[in-house]
Amino acid sequence: MEEGYNEIRELKEMIELCFERQNRLISKLEMELEALSNFNGKQMLDSRDMRLQLKVCDRTLIRWRRSGKLPFFKISGKVYFWAFDVYKFLREEYGTANLPTDTFVK
C-alpha cells in the first residue's frame, strides 16, 4: 500500500516539474514574441494576430485594407498593422470607447 502512495507522489512530482518547465518555456516564448512584434516602441500586429484578436476572417481584413479604412504595411510580403491604427479604426468604425487612446504613440 505504501509503495502505491510513493509511486503516486513521484508521478505527481514529475508532472509538476513538466508543468513548471512548460511555463518557463511559454514565458520565454512570449517575451521573444513581444520583442518581435514591437518596433521603436510601437506594437505591430500581423494578419494572424488580427484574426485571433478581432475574431474576423482573412476576407474581412482584406476588405478593410482594400477600402483604405485600415492602414497596413508589408515586410517581406507579410502584412502588418500598427496597433495604434487598429485601435483608431475600431473606435471610428464601431464606436468602441473603451479601447486605449494613448497607449501607443504614432
Side-chain angles (χ1 to χ4, degrees), residues 31-45:
M31 287 177 22
E32 288 178 13
L33 286 172
E34 181 66 26
L36 287 174
S37 65
N38 282 302
F39 182 75
N40 286 341
K42 294 193 265 183
Q43 185 180 10
M44 298 184 313
L45 302 168

Side-chain angles (χ1 to χ4, degrees), residues 1-43:
M1 191 79 143
E2 181 71 26
E3 186 177 317
Y5 287 124
N6 287 337
E7 289 176 359
I8 291 172
R9 191 182 72 242
E10 287 177 21
L11 181 60
K12 183 180 175 184
E13 289 173 1
M14 287 173 45
I15 292 171
E16 287 174 353
L17 285 173
C18 287
F19 279 124
E20 286 177 26
R21 189 174 10 193
Q22 284 179 336
N23 286 336
R24 284 193 305 269
L25 287 172
I26 289 170
S27 294
K28 185 178 177 181
L29 285 172
E30 286 173 341
M31 287 177 22
E32 288 178 13
L33 286 172
E34 181 66 26
L36 287 174
S37 65
N38 282 302
F39 182 75
N40 286 341
K42 294 193 265 183
Q43 185 180 10

